[in-house]
Amino acid sequence: MKPETICLQGGYTPENGAPRVLPIYQSTTYKYDSSEHLGKLFDLTAPGHMYTRISNPTVEMVENKIAALEGGVGAMLCSAGQAASFAAIFNICQAGQNFVCSSTIYGGTVNLFAVTMKRMGIEARFVTPDMTDEELDSYFDENTRLVFGETIANPALNVFDIERFAEIAHKHNVPLIVDNTFATPILCRPFDFGADIVVHSTTKYMDGHATVVGGVIVDSGKFDWNKDGKYPELSTVDESYHGVVYTRDFGAAAYITKCRVQLMRDLGLTCQPMAAFLLNEGLDTLALRIERHSQNALTVAKYLEANDKITWVNYPGLESNSEYERAMKYLPKGQSGVISCGIKGGREAAMKFMDSLKLASIVVHVADARTCVLHPASTTHRQLTDRQLEEAGVKADLIRLSVGIENVEDIIADIEQALAQI
């Protein structure tokens, strides 16, 4: 099935007489006919659900839909995008080890990596996209476990060169993990360009209605975890499961299986059944919405580019943009609905502009069906130093405009009247 069809038909196939709409299995608990069967579940030798902290039928069906959209062998829904990013790395990285990470990523993720995970003994080594291959190579050593980047950086909007970083990662025998939140699998499927693991904040375009927080990890099943014995946590015995070896017993799904039965079990990063149901409602229309978001954003970006009260506009779909060529390679169907720009007059003018908007809302959110706006340097990226802000591509006057799916003429009219107040 094509992605547009998977959005509606994937994950759940009702049997004769069953509910047509994905059911909500709102239960923490499952009944079994024998203690022997339950024992097999805990030994991971039989399929099924033990406890909703680990898995649930509603959650599983939405995971299957997202895995199909990304072209992966399996997925694991989490309580939030931050939980997904953390688990994706912690699944193969421990104290004393490190990973290479693009500096142009979401500010909250920078803090997770540079502060919280640092306290756990895991080092994030930040690199800039314009480094040469030789410079990038110097960040790797025998303890480097992975490379991490965002398809479309939030809010800098750099387009990640997935193929290039996949080649560099694989040269060092480590996987590439890509945060595909802004692009969604409708606009880009990182596995097609060599990525090994994908994460999303499903809170954004996948949900699309500012209804439910969530995250997901998707496993391509393509990385060789046995190679060079570099990942013993996957290729040797897990004593906590009576001798399970993930690569031996679960093959291509070794990574995502370990992530679920070990990290989800121990850390409880659980996506609740109702949250999965609401997410699925958003996924049904994802293909339609992301197309409209992208169309509207390009129109708004062109309007802003021609306006003399705007000092600069950053949108990968603009032909004048430095990321345009890469956007056409990885994101030819559209570049999402997020634009960043600067208002003439600096921070004060930016605040006046935002306060004057009537249709667009000032919210700590992005990728909603409704148009919204934010000043990242004083909000989502507030915890970063000036140097980190610069490395993340976040200017002090940067306004992040998340263009919704309203009529684009109304969106532009709102922007026009707000600019007139400056």
Side-chain angles (χ1 to χ4, degrees):
M1 292 187 291
K2 299 291 189 292
E4 296 84 353
T5 306
I6 295 172
C7 282
L8 287 160
Q9 301 286 353
Y12 171 58
T13 305
E15 298 177 357
N16 186 44
R20 181 61 193 88
V21 175
L22 174 70
I24 305 170
Y25 289 83
Q26 192 63 51
S27 178
T28 63
T29 314
Y30 309 92
K31 177 185 176 295
Y32 307 97
D33 293 334
S34 71
S35 56
E36 180 185 4
H37 180 72
L38 184 56
K40 288 180 179 179
L41 290 176
F42 276 88
D43 284 342
L44 306 181
T45 57
H49 303 281
M50 304 174 240
Y51 198 60
T52 287
R53 186 179 78 242
I54 301 171
S55 64
N56 168 277
T58 304
V59 175
E60 180 185 35
M61 286 181 266
V62 181
E63 290 168 341
N64 290 342
K65 176 183 282 192
I66 295 173
L69 283 169
E70 284 287 10
V73 296
M76 186 181 82
L77 283 170
C78 299
S79 53
Q82 290 289 81
S85 294
F86 169 73
I89 292 173
F90 196 58
N91 197 37
I92 53 172
C93 199
Q94 61 185 4
Q97 296 175 337
N98 64 77
F99 63 97
V100 175
C101 181
S102 171
S103 61
T104 54
I105 59 171
Y106 169 54
T109 309
V110 172
N111 199 72
L112 168 66
F113 293 169
V115 179
T116 302
M117 294 186 77
K118 182 179 180 181
R119 293 174 61 192
M120 302 168 71
I122 296 172
E123 179 191 3
R125 297 178 172 180
F126 291 98
V127 299
T128 57
D130 58 356
M131 284 182 176
T132 65
D133 287 2
E134 291 72 22
E135 288 174 315
L136 291 171
D137 285 338
S138 69
Y139 283 78
F140 291 80
D141 61 28
E142 61 182 9
N143 290 316
T144 303
R145 305 289 278 182
L146 61 104
V147 177
F148 187 97
E150 286 182 7
T151 309
I152 304 175
N154 173 15
L157 304 184
N158 299 77
V159 178
F160 191 54
D161 195 341
I162 301 171
E163 275 191 340
R164 179 189 178 213
F165 278 85
E167 288 177 6
I168 291 170
H170 295 160
K171 180 171 70 174
H172 293 276
N173 297 322
V174 300
L176 172 64
I177 300 179
V178 174
D179 183 333
N180 200 33
T181 297
F182 273 11
T184 83
I186 305 302
L187 300 181
C188 178
R189 300 211 311 179
F191 295 157
D192 295 341
F193 299 99
D196 302 289
I197 309 294
V198 160
V199 297
H200 288 267
S201 168
T202 61
T203 317
K204 309 304 189 295
Y205 286 118
M206 281 190 168
D207 164 40
H209 300 85
T211 303
V212 62
V213 173
V216 70
I217 305 168
V218 188
D219 183 1
S220 71
K222 295 178 181 178
F223 191 80
D224 183 1
W225 302 105
N226 286 312
K227 190 173 183 180
D228 298 334
K230 192 163 187 170
Y231 298 91
E233 60 268 46
L234 285 158
S235 61
T236 61
V237 170
D238 181 352
E239 297 295 349
S240 70
Y241 276 110
H242 310 295
V244 162
V245 177
Y246 296 104
T247 53
R248 180 194 67 198
D249 299 333
F250 298 99
Y255 171 93
I256 201 68
T257 301
K258 175 185 177 295
C259 200
R260 179 184 305 283
V261 302
Q262 199 178 80
L263 299 189
M264 188 64 80
R265 174 197 64 184
D266 294 346
L267 301 177
L269 313 170
T270 312
C271 173
Q272 296 300 314
M274 188 65 195
F277 174 83
L278 292 171
L279 170 59
N280 192 60
E281 293 283 278
L283 288 170
D284 281 348
T285 59
L286 173 62
L288 290 171
R289 287 185 290 102
I290 197 67
E291 181 181 345
R292 180 66 171 265
H293 279 293
S294 298
Q295 291 172 350
N296 280 0
L298 182 58
T299 302
V300 170
K302 289 178 178 178
Y303 165 81
L304 292 171
E305 194 174 39
N307 193 296
D308 59 7
K309 290 190 176 181
I310 304 296
T311 53
W312 57 270
V313 181
N314 183 17
Y315 184 68
L318 289 172
E319 292 185 23
S320 59
N321 192 275
S322 61
E323 303 291 310
Y324 179 76
E325 186 176 340
R326 197 172 294 140
M328 292 303 103
K329 174 180 178 178
Y330 293 112
L331 303 151
K333 296 179 181 178
Q335 299 79 44
S336 88
V338 182
I339 300 169
S340 58
C341 64
I343 307 293
K344 188 175 288 185
R347 184 176 292 215
E348 263 189 44
M351 297 302 101
K352 177 68 173 175
F353 166 74
M354 290 172 61
D355 292 343
S356 300
L357 291 166
K358 297 178 180 179
L359 180 148
S361 302
I362 301 174
V363 297
V364 185
H365 191 50
V366 69
D368 187 359
R370 294 162 286 267
T371 298
C372 51
V373 64
L374 194 70
H375 183 247
S378 62
T379 53
T380 56
H381 289 61
R382 190 183 188 92
Q383 71 274 29
L384 302 190
T385 65
D386 289 342
R387 180 177 178 181
Q388 286 177 319
L389 284 171
E390 184 180 341
E391 289 177 349
V394 180
K395 299 178 181 179
D397 65 342
L398 184 153
I399 283 180
R400 185 181 68 184
L401 182 64
S402 179
V403 180
I405 59 174
E406 304 96 342
N407 187 294
V408 72
E409 293 179 10
D410 291 331
I411 298 170
I412 289 175
D414 187 38
I415 293 171
E416 195 165 7
Q417 67 80 25
L419 287 173
Q421 308 305 312
I422 301 172

